[in-house]
Amino acid sequence: MKSWKSVIWAVMLTVAFPLGFLYWQPSLMTCLLLGLWLAAAMAYSFTRIRRHYEEELQVQERALQQAAIRTLNHHRHDWMNDLQILYGYIQLGKPDKSVECVGRIKERIALDSRIAKLGIPSLVFYIQSFRTYRTSLELEVEVAEGLQLEDKLSPDKGEEMTSVIMQTVRAYQYSGLVSQGESRKLRLSFTQDEGDVLISFEGEGEPGNPELLQGQIYNIVQGKIMKAEQFKPSSAYVQLRLPLEM
C-alpha cells in the first residue's frame, strides 16, 4: 500500500517543476506545458488508484471464496459423519437408533433453513461459517420459527446488526468465559417480541469477569439500533433488543 501511495505523491510533486518554470518564465507555452503536465499526472494517478482498488477487491473476493469453500467442506464433513452413523445403525439392525439419527438430521436441516430465512446475508454467512474458525468457543444457534428480517431492516441496519453480534461473540470469547485450552459453549438465540427482535447470548458456566463483559457489550451497542436490555448478575447472559422497521 505504501508503494502505490508513494508513486502518486511522487507524480504530484513533479508538478512543482512546471510550476517553477512558469514562475520564472511566464508565457503561453509554459501555461500549455503546465496544463499538459497536470493532465498527464492526474491520468496516471487515477490509473494507479483504480488498479490498486481492483487488486484490493480481488483479494477480498478470494478471501470470501476461500471462506465459502471452508464452510462447504465443514458442512460436507458433518453430513458424511451423520450418514455414516445412520448407515452403521441400519447395518446393525437398530431401527430405534436409526430413527433418532434421522430426527437429528431433520432438526439440523430445519435449523439451517431458519438461519437462512433470517435474510441478512452477512449474518447468515457468519453463523454458518463460525465452525470453520479456529476458536475454543462453540456457538449454538437457535432461531424462532418464521422469523424473517430481510424485508424489515435496511441493508445498512442489517450490516450494523451483524457487526454488533460479531463483536459481542468476540467479547464473550475474550472476557474470561473460555480458558486457554478449554472449549465452552455460547448459545445465540433469536426470538420475536411483538414488533422487536430479541437476541440473547448465554454462555456456559460463569464468566471470568462479568463486569468487564457487561462494559464491553454496552460499549459495542452504544449509538447502535440494538440496545442491551437485560443482564443477569454474575452470569454470562445478556439480551439485546432490536426494533424492527415496520
Side-chain angles (χ1 to χ4, degrees):
M1 177 168 300
K2 291 182 179 179
S3 60
W4 76 271
K5 286 186 177 180
S6 299
V7 170
I8 292 176
W9 276 110
V11 170
M12 299 307 295
L13 286 174
T14 60
V15 178
F17 292 101
L19 279 174
F21 189 66
L22 179 63
Y23 177 78
W24 290 107
Q25 295 290 334
S27 67
L28 179 60
M29 185 61 67
T30 53
C31 288
L32 291 174
L33 176 61
L34 177 60
L36 291 173
W37 199 301
L38 282 172
M42 292 179 63
Y44 180 78
S45 300
F46 175 78
T47 302
R48 288 300 301 264
I49 293 174
R50 184 178 64 179
R51 185 179 303 171
H52 167 73
Y53 282 108
E54 287 176 351
E55 291 173 354
E56 286 289 317
L57 184 61
Q58 290 175 357
V59 170
Q60 294 176 8
E61 189 174 328
R62 284 195 296 268
L64 181 61
Q65 291 170 347
Q66 291 171 357
I69 291 172
R70 288 196 303 269
T71 301
L72 290 173
N73 284 337
H74 272 263
H75 280 278
R76 178 185 57 80
H77 184 265
D78 290 342
W79 288 120
M80 289 300 298
N81 283 343
D82 289 336
L83 290 175
Q84 287 175 358
I85 293 171
L86 177 60
Y87 184 63
Y89 286 145
I90 293 174
Q91 282 187 316
L92 294 173
K94 296 184 176 181
D96 293 342
K97 293 292 186 181
S98 299
V99 172
E100 290 179 8
C101 186
V102 171
R104 289 195 299 269
I105 293 174
K106 289 176 62 178
E107 177 55 33
R108 284 186 53 199
I109 293 174
L111 176 59
D112 285 343
S113 176
R114 293 196 296 272
I115 292 173
K117 287 179 180 178
L118 286 173
I120 308 298
S122 56
L123 177 61
V124 173
F125 184 77
Y126 172 72
I127 293 174
Q128 296 288 25
S129 63
F130 187 85
R131 282 179 295 174
T132 68
Y133 304 146
R134 294 183 177 180
T135 172
S136 56
L137 190 65
E138 180 183 346
L139 191 64
E140 289 187 353
V141 181
E142 297 177 358
V143 181
E145 187 69 38
L147 180 59
Q148 297 184 21
L149 305 176
E150 182 178 12
D151 57 346
K152 298 176 181 179
L153 287 176
S154 66
D156 290 342
K157 296 300 184 183
E159 292 297 322
E160 182 178 298
M161 180 186 70
T162 301
S163 176
V164 168
I165 291 174
M166 292 173 63
Q167 292 180 66
T168 303
V169 171
R170 198 174 300 120
Y172 270 90
Q173 185 176 354
Y174 296 108
S175 65
L177 174 65
V178 180
S179 301
Q180 188 172 4
E182 295 183 359
S183 178
R184 300 282 183 88
K185 293 180 180 180
L186 174 63
R187 184 175 294 107
L188 171 61
S189 303
F190 297 83
T191 57
Q192 191 157 4
D193 179 31
E194 297 181 351
D196 300 337
V197 171
L198 301 180
I199 304 171
S200 61
F201 301 81
E202 185 172 6
E204 181 184 74
E206 298 294 327
N209 191 333
E211 292 79 13
L212 174 62
L213 176 63
Q214 180 175 342
Q216 288 177 330
I217 294 175
Y218 272 126
N219 288 334
I220 290 170
V221 300
Q222 187 174 11
K224 304 294 194 305
I225 57 173
M226 300 171 67
K227 303 300 179 184
E229 190 173 68
Q230 181 178 350
F231 282 97
K232 291 182 179 179
S234 302
S235 175
Y237 177 88
V238 63
Q239 180 176 280
L240 306 180
R241 179 174 291 272
L242 170 66
L244 295 180
E245 297 176 1
M246 305 301 293

